Amino acid sequence: AKQQGRNNFQWYTSDLNERVCEHARLRNDLQKAIDTESLKLHYQPQIETRTGRVSGIEALLRWEHPQRGFISPAVFVPVAEDSGQIIPLSLWVLDTACAQLRQLGEQGITGISMAVNISPIHFQRGHFVQFVQTILEKHGLCGEQLELEITESLLLHNAEQAIDTLHRLKALGVRIALDDFGTGFSSLSYLKRLPIDKIKIDRSFIQELGTDCHDAAIIQGIIAMAHHLSLTVVAEGVETESQAAFLKGSRCDVLQGYYFAKPMKYEALEVFLRGVKG
Ligand code: C2E
Ligand code: CA
Ligand code: CA
Ligand code: CA
């Protein structure tokens, strides 16, 4: 038994070593990607149910690794958060997303807001609000054109400071959306305390709509509650016509997902937006 225990232990450590190495490799490769500016942003349209028009777009990071192909931001964003690389990365994302929103405006495509995912690590840094203000001025945008997507994990460490930062962002006109709603711990109590404009119902609720009858009830409950609090509701991960129809019938305000459009590069987005504008 002793012998076996040791073998298990060795197996475990080599597995751990492997993961540590993988982490270090990713971090090095990510630094190269940042230095050579080979990361890209893709944009996914958000459709307002009442009018059918595109009211916003969400910027999503894309990394095509030279040997390994596309690596999901769900994999490399946590690595960048551990290493601190998330700060330069996040600055680049905000700057690039705002530059491309201005470019859309110059092409005559207006009335669309840009949603950017913000890591709590970046959000909690000093000067975050000042940086956002500088970027808006640099690109000649008003605060209302920018939406920041945050998650409630932001409140885990210093909730008071986070709430203060949110108020200062709102003073700039910037909109705040609470992402992945319904997956956290105490979402409901946060809703009361947070100065937010929108909630995004997590994809997991939408995906099980057809198979789990409770999800329909939960979604309708979330929508009713959010509307009572004067919040806009976005559903993410809408993949089918029946999901879209259910959400529209339940008065969900904005829909986003593969059913309408996948995230796409800037050039394709421009074509897509011209198409839907007729
Ligand atoms: P998220 O913010 O919840 O983004 C939604 C994810 O769902 C995106 O995955 C999007 O491509 C995907 N998606 C959209 N519609 C559908 C659909 O109909 N079906 C399915 N199955 N998926 C759909 P993605 O792009 O891989 O991003 C994963 C996560 O990585 C994001 O989750 C976000 O947390 C993070 N992330 C992405 N870009 C950034 C960024 O610029 N900064 C930060 N801090 N995090 C980012
Ligand atoms: Ca998001
Ligand atoms: Ca989400
Ligand atoms: Ca997420």
Side-chain angles (χ1 to χ4, degrees), residues 66-141:
Q67 284 89 41
R68 298 164 62 175
F70 281 102
I71 299 180
S72 167
V75 172
F76 72 81
V77 166
V79 172
E81 287 179 329
D82 279 352
S83 66
Q85 289 164 312
I86 193 67
I87 303 293
L89 199 56
S90 188
L91 296 175
W92 178 83
V93 169
L94 262 170
D95 189 31
T96 306
C98 287
Q100 304 231 279
L101 186 63
R102 179 189 55 183
Q103 197 178 337
L104 280 181
E106 286 164 355
Q107 300 300 312
I109 300 168
T110 55
I112 291 175
S113 60
M114 175 67 77
V116 178
N117 292 285
I118 299 295
S119 161
I121 311 271
H122 189 201
F123 186 91
Q124 282 156 352
R125 282 279 278 244
H127 308 301
F128 177 72
V129 179
Q130 204 181 315
F131 177 76
V132 169
Q133 186 172 11
T134 305
I135 288 285
L136 289 171
E137 283 165 7
K138 174 181 172 189
H139 298 293
L141 300 174

Side-chain angles (χ1 to χ4, degrees), residues 60-275:
L60 293 157
L61 260 171
R62 292 291 176 264
W63 178 20
E64 192 175 1
H65 189 281
Q67 284 89 41
R68 298 164 62 175
F70 281 102
I71 299 180
S72 167
V75 172
F76 72 81
V77 166
V79 172
E81 287 179 329
D82 279 352
S83 66
Q85 289 164 312
I86 193 67
I87 303 293
L89 199 56
S90 188
L91 296 175
W92 178 83
V93 169
L94 262 170
D95 189 31
T96 306
C98 287
Q100 304 231 279
L101 186 63
R102 179 189 55 183
Q103 197 178 337
L104 280 181
E106 286 164 355
Q107 300 300 312
I109 300 168
T110 55
I112 291 175
S113 60
M114 175 67 77
V116 178
N117 292 285
I118 299 295
S119 161
I121 311 271
H122 189 201
F123 186 91
Q124 282 156 352
R125 282 279 278 244
H127 308 301
F128 177 72
V129 179
Q130 204 181 315
F131 177 76
V132 169
Q133 186 172 11
T134 305
I135 288 285
L136 289 171
E137 283 165 7
K138 174 181 172 189
H139 298 293
L141 300 174
C142 57
E144 287 74 11
Q145 290 173 278
L146 179 65
E147 191 169 291
L148 301 180
E149 297 195 0
I150 58 164
T151 55
E152 61 179 53
S153 64
L154 194 72
L155 300 169
L156 286 180
H157 299 295
N158 191 342
E160 295 313 314
Q161 193 200 325
I163 290 170
D164 177 64
T165 304
L166 289 172
H167 280 295
R168 288 191 292 130
L169 287 165
K170 298 224 56 181
L172 296 178
V174 171
R175 305 255 157 80
I176 309 293
L178 192 58
D179 206 352
D180 303 340
F181 186 81
T183 57
F185 323 89
S186 36
S187 312
L188 300 185
S189 70
Y190 287 145
L191 276 191
K192 228 173 45 179
R193 296 174 60 200
L194 289 181
I196 56 173
D197 303 282
K198 273 189 186 178
I199 58 169
K200 297 188 80 173
I201 304 178
D202 192 69
R203 195 166 81 210
S204 56
F205 294 102
I206 316 300
Q207 254 154 11
E208 277 164 34
L209 252 180
T211 52
D212 184 340
C213 63
H214 295 308
D215 278 322
I218 291 171
I219 288 170
Q220 289 179 327
I222 292 175
I223 294 171
M225 181 190 59
H227 283 169
H228 278 301
L229 296 167
S230 303
L231 299 171
T232 301
V233 187
V234 184
E236 62 177 21
V238 180
E239 291 183 355
T240 68
E241 186 178 5
S242 66
Q243 289 167 351
F246 171 81
L247 290 159
K248 193 171 180 209
S250 304
R251 299 184 49 244
C252 185
D253 304 288
V254 178
L255 306 182
Q256 179 180 355
Y258 296 167
Y259 175 66
F260 299 97
K262 290 199 167 174
M264 56 187 104
K265 55 186 181 190
Y266 177 81
E267 292 73 18
L269 176 74
E270 230 188 79
V271 172
F272 181 88
L273 293 175
R274 283 189 204 291

